[in-house]
């Protein structure tokens, strides 16, 4: 899939393909670099969690915390088996997000920077922002 170019495109994919998981939630307060990661995560959940349990999932908030994504969700009446699959996927992508540049999604030489907020930033975005490697 091509890289998602802006929030409008991101939210229209969420609506079209993954509304079952987000159930109308559309206030993603995240930066552009993580759009593709969230789409990948959502499609992995839909592929691996059995259909009968997918409808029990409600992802109710998505935020950035300490330089990585953080998902908040409710699950009702889900089998333990599928809950584990689901929560493992969420954790995997939360961890993974810290190695993706929050601005552009690159994984090239990403380090955590702290300019008041802790964020993972790739080499070229650091050069653009004139941030020092530290
Ligand atoms: Zn970048």
């Amino acid at each position: 899939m091509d890289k998602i170019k802006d929030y409008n495109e991101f939210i229209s994919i969420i609506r079209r393909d993954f509304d079952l998981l987000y159930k109308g939630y559309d206030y993603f307060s995240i930066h552009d670099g993580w759009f593709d990661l969230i789409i990948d995560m959502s499609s992995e959940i839909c592929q691996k969690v059995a259909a009968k349990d997918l409808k029990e999932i409600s992802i109710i908030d998505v935020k950035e915390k300490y330089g990585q994504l953080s998902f908040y969700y409710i699950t009702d009446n889900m089998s333990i088996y599928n809950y584990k699959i689901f929560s493992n996927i969420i954790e995997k992508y939360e961890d993974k997000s810290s190695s993706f540049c929050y601005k552009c999604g690159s994984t090239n030489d990403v380090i955590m920077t702290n300019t008041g907020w802790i964020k993972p930033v790739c080499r070229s975005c650091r050069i653009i922002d004139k941030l020092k490697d530290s």
Side-chain angles (χ1 to χ4, degrees):
M1 193 166 65
D2 288 341
K3 206 169 151 27
I4 294 167
K5 60 181 187 309
D6 58 23
Y7 189 81
N8 286 337
E9 185 183 1
F10 168 73
I11 210 71
S12 68
I13 296 169
I14 291 286
R15 282 280 164 282
R16 188 190 65 204
D17 299 338
F18 305 111
D19 207 41
L20 189 62
L21 297 176
Y22 297 93
K23 298 182 172 57
Y25 175 74
D26 62 2
Y27 189 72
F28 291 80
S29 50
I30 55 158
H31 285 90
D32 299 19
W34 284 324
F35 290 161
D36 294 278
L37 212 56
I38 292 177
I39 298 298
D40 288 351
M41 184 196 78
S42 303
S43 70
E44 191 172 333
I45 291 168
C46 290
Q47 280 162 25
K48 292 186 178 164
V49 175
K52 68 175 171 57
D53 279 341
L54 270 181
K55 63 179 185 346
E56 307 295 339
I57 297 170
S58 297
I59 295 174
I60 55 167
D61 210 355
V62 183
K63 289 181 174 160
E64 299 174 11
K65 241 184 178 178
Y66 308 115
Q68 64 174 54
L69 287 170
S70 193
F71 294 89
Y72 301 82
Y73 50 84
I74 298 168
T75 55
D76 293 317
N77 302 315
M78 211 177 172
S79 71
I80 301 285
Y81 178 77
N82 279 315
Y83 178 77
K84 279 190 179 151
I85 293 173
F86 168 68
S87 55
N88 284 341
I89 295 170
I90 294 271
E91 269 175 43
K92 181 175 82 177
Y93 280 88
E94 285 177 340
D95 290 348
K96 219 174 159 179
S97 62
S98 63
S99 54
F100 282 70
C101 176
Y102 83 100
K103 287 190 148 185
C104 73
S106 166
T107 53
N108 178 32
D109 187 22
V110 170
I111 60 167
M112 283 292 170
T113 59
N114 190 348
T115 53
W117 299 99
I118 299 168
K119 306 268 190 209
V121 187
C122 74
R123 175 177 291 275
S124 43
C125 288
R126 288 200 302 279
I127 292 166
I128 291 165
D129 290 352
K130 296 185 171 61
L131 293 172
K132 286 196 184 86
D133 289 22
S134 57

